[in-house]
Amino acid sequence: MDPDSALNSTKATQIPCQEEDALSPSTALLPFNTDSSDCSNPTKKHTTTIVFISLLLVACISLSAAAAFAFLFFSSASTSSSPITATSFSAETTSRPLTKLKHPVVILISSDGFRFGYQFKTQTPNIQRLIVNGTEAETGLIPVFPTLTFPNHYSIITGLYPAYHGIINNHFVDPQTGEVFTMRSHEPKWWLGEPLWETVANHGLRAATYFWPGAEVHKGSWNCPEGFCMFYNGSVPFEDRVDKVLSYFDLPSSEIPVFMTLYFEDPDHQGHKVGPDDPEITEAVAGIDRIIGRLIDGLEKRGVFEDVNIIMVGDHGMVGTCDKKLIFLDDLGSSIQIPAEWVQSYSPLLAIRPPPSVTPSDVVKKMNEGLQSGNIKNGKYLKVFLKEELPSRLHYAASDRIPPIIGLIEEGFKVEQTRIKHQECGGAHGYDNAFFSMRTIFIGHGPRFARGRKVPSFENVQIYNLVTSILKIQGAANNGSASFPGFILLPSPS
């Protein structure tokens, strides 16, 4: 309301005076002392008018402030739940130009088992620096199922679900040949799809890998070149790995690899031993932050930190496990016998391949009847499926390598064959990727990533297309969305 109009309105409206007893109900309820003598006293009348106008002005100002606060509050609330393109807090509309490098460069970093939320366990100034000045998946990166190390690392690097890239578990059996895949199997026949280092090589560009599952495999145009492809050795200090990557930036510009990987075993190593909530995890996270700081410092000394696109991810999360959360297959004896030789994986992914003489659907039916009978300890925490009847969101059926019977185990529970007396409390992963505990991190920093931007969670199969988009090369067919980079990356200047 305009103050002048308020004043005029007050002057025009005179409330008639009434003679009332001092203790009459109407007088007693008034907020101020309005003695009846005011009606015959001009000075008091004028004072009353001024007080009224002042109160009216204060009320108007308060209402305006409240309205402004409400607008800001609800605008902020609506922003946080709006689509991916509306979550940016950056005014940048295009990618930042390179100042020293002659071509785009991506460093893809994996911190194994870095569960989403670990970054808040302790001071992580270097990781936070990447977050504050980059783009972060606000509620974490979603791994593929099963949430295991090899399947997820190879999904990140190929953009394919495990059923399509072939690495369906950390260990599995080829049903045609009977051969066993282990984490030391480097024969190309196991590793399907086209990993990023191969894609880069196909375009006549240079890639460098300091550890990554599948990098040692000679495949297509990638021959794991000496000096640019390190054979896995877990005893190599993290500092040495970072320093080797930094040394590539001392090469002539045309020889600097356009794509590099860095892999660290922590905090997965500690998580399996002590679970996700132990002080040892906090120490491991602080250690990872220090090593990220070493990388940042080295890039800054070479004047290329703002030119390099750094993508920091994990492969999966971690959840605590303990003896009281066990399910024993031998307890199913009254319903069905499950011999150990049928079982290819117990936990956290139960995988069963019965002999050809046994019908998988009969096994599934009898197992679920026993588990749901109430006679099996913790039986309700395991549900068994024919692989083709698994939830389609898991994308875990289209491969002969996947056994016909898959058991989904509830978070934190484990399956074993028989009861033995042992004490085990630690951590595990591999569970349904819908569990929040299986989420990991995604942080992007560099000229193609907006500063201070938060984006919704997404699956790690999208990362392949992000990298090829940054490098401006044509990627291979994959399960990611071709349009996805447009939601995450700043567009290049036209």
Side-chain angles (χ1 to χ4, degrees):
M1 178 182 291
D2 180 67
D4 291 333
S5 63
L7 180 60
N8 293 334
S9 174
T10 302
K11 288 179 179 177
T13 305
Q14 298 293 329
I15 300 175
C17 294
Q18 298 180 1
E19 290 186 7
E20 294 182 342
D21 294 335
L23 296 181
S24 68
S26 59
T27 303
L29 293 174
L30 290 174
F32 301 104
N33 181 11
T34 54
D35 192 283
S36 60
S37 61
D38 285 352
C39 290
S40 59
N41 189 330
T43 302
K44 290 187 178 182
K45 288 179 182 180
H46 182 66
T47 301
T48 302
T49 302
I50 292 175
V51 170
F52 178 80
I53 293 171
S54 300
L55 289 172
L56 191 60
L57 288 172
V58 170
C60 290
I61 292 170
S62 299
L63 286 171
S64 298
F69 176 80
F71 174 80
L72 291 172
F73 177 83
F74 288 109
S75 295
S76 174
S78 63
T79 298
S80 65
S81 59
S82 56
I84 193 169
T85 53
T87 58
S88 174
F89 299 100
S90 172
E92 297 165 301
T93 56
T94 60
S95 61
R96 301 180 287 280
L98 303 181
T99 59
K100 187 172 182 179
L101 295 177
K102 304 300 183 186
H103 54 74
V105 172
V106 174
I107 301 177
L108 178 61
I109 304 168
S110 170
S111 178
D112 200 323
F114 198 115
R115 173 174 165 169
F116 179 76
Y118 277 1
Q119 66 269 38
F120 306 119
K121 276 186 167 289
T122 185
Q123 295 294 321
T124 52
N126 300 297
I127 293 174
Q128 291 302 321
R129 181 177 177 183
L130 297 181
I131 292 173
V132 170
N133 295 296
T135 297
E136 179 193 27
E138 190 167 19
T139 52
L141 180 67
I142 303 171
V144 296
F145 178 82
T147 52
L148 297 167
T149 296
F150 269 50
N152 273 274
H153 275 95
Y154 207 54
S155 284
I156 291 169
I157 215 72
T158 62
L160 296 170
Y161 292 111
Y164 301 100
H165 65 52
I167 310 302
I168 56 101
N169 205 319
N170 287 341
H171 302 83
F172 58 90
V173 178
D174 185 319
Q176 305 302 323
T177 65
E179 294 177 276
V180 178
F181 172 87
T182 74
M183 291 185 282
R184 297 185 181 219
S185 299
H186 297 143
E187 298 83 6
K189 65 181 179 181
W190 297 110
W191 306 82
L192 311 179
E194 184 179 292
L196 277 165
W197 44 75
E198 183 181 350
T199 302
V200 168
N202 287 344
H203 287 79
L205 302 172
R206 173 173 279 175
T209 59
Y210 212 118
F211 304 161
W212 199 279
E216 300 167 39
V217 179
H218 290 221
K219 191 171 178 302
S221 56
W222 174 256
N223 62 355
C224 191
E226 185 177 356
F228 294 90
C229 174
M230 307 303 161
F231 278 62
Y232 181 71
N233 180 353
S235 66
V236 177
F238 291 174
E239 292 80 4
D240 290 359
R241 307 179 194 187
V242 167
D243 292 348
K244 180 63 176 179
V245 166
L246 289 173
S247 73
Y248 296 138
F249 292 94
D250 298 328
L251 296 171
S253 180
S254 61
E255 298 179 25
I256 297 174
V258 302
F259 176 68
M260 312 176 201
T261 70
L262 259 175
Y263 170 80
F264 306 113
E265 293 85 355
D266 294 354
D268 183 73
H269 174 69
Q270 295 83 359
H272 281 290
K273 294 192 301 180
V274 298
D277 301 314
D278 192 271
E280 197 171 331
I281 294 293
T282 305
E283 294 174 13
V285 170
I288 290 295
D289 185 74
R290 285 191 296 272
I291 211 66
I292 296 299
R294 187 183 187 94
L295 176 66
I296 292 173
D297 290 346
L299 293 173
E300 285 187 320
K301 288 175 182 177
R302 291 164 174 81
V304 297
F305 175 56
E306 293 297 339
D307 279 4
V308 176
N309 292 281
I310 296 173
I311 299 176
M312 182 176 179
V313 299
D315 53 344
H316 53 70
M318 186 70 67
V319 68
T321 58
C322 217
D323 280 342
K324 66 180 180 180
K325 292 187 174 182
L326 295 178
I327 304 163
F328 300 99
L329 295 182
D330 283 354
D331 289 353
L332 286 166
S334 60
S335 300
I336 185 174
Q337 293 285 341
I338 305 295
E341 56 266 26
W342 292 10
V343 184
Q344 295 191 0
S345 172
Y346 285 97
S347 287
L349 170 71
L350 178 63
I352 299 173
R353 189 182 294 278
S357 59
V358 177
T359 304
S361 58
D362 290 342
V363 175
V364 168
K365 182 175 182 292
K366 291 178 181 178
M367 286 188 70
N368 282 329
E369 286 175 352
L371 292 166
Q372 296 166 17
S373 67
N375 299 322
I376 309 297
K377 183 178 180 181
N378 296 325
K380 63 181 179 179
Y381 299 112
L382 168 64
K383 188 172 182 180
V384 185
F385 297 82
L386 291 173
K387 67 178 181 182
E388 59 268 21
E389 295 178 357
L390 284 166
S392 59
R393 61 181 174 78
L394 298 177
H395 304 280
Y396 201 66
S399 173
D400 289 341
R401 295 177 181 181
I402 300 173
I405 299 171
I406 299 296
L408 297 184
I409 308 168
E410 283 296 322
E411 184 179 28
F413 285 81
K414 295 178 72 176
V415 173
E416 295 185 0
Q417 184 71 38
T418 189
R419 291 181 179 275
I420 57 174
K421 291 184 178 181
H422 63 90
Q423 294 295 318
E424 175 200 330
C425 283
H429 54 87
Y431 300 93
D432 190 334
N433 63 350
F435 293 139
F436 203 86
S437 61
M438 294 297 104
R439 289 196 185 182
T440 181
I441 56 169
F442 172 89
I443 306 164
H445 181 282
R448 292 298 302 275
F449 294 99
R451 295 182 175 96
R453 190 179 187 198
K454 306 294 184 185
V455 298
S457 296
F458 57 91
E459 285 192 317
N460 63 20
V461 293
Q462 304 288 359
I463 293 173
Y464 178 93
N465 287 338
L466 285 182
V467 175
T468 57
S469 182
I470 293 171
L471 299 180
K472 301 178 181 178
I473 59 177
Q474 180 62 47
N478 62 82
N479 295 127
S481 167
S483 63
F484 183 78
F487 294 109
I488 301 293
L489 301 176
L490 291 169
S492 297
S494 57

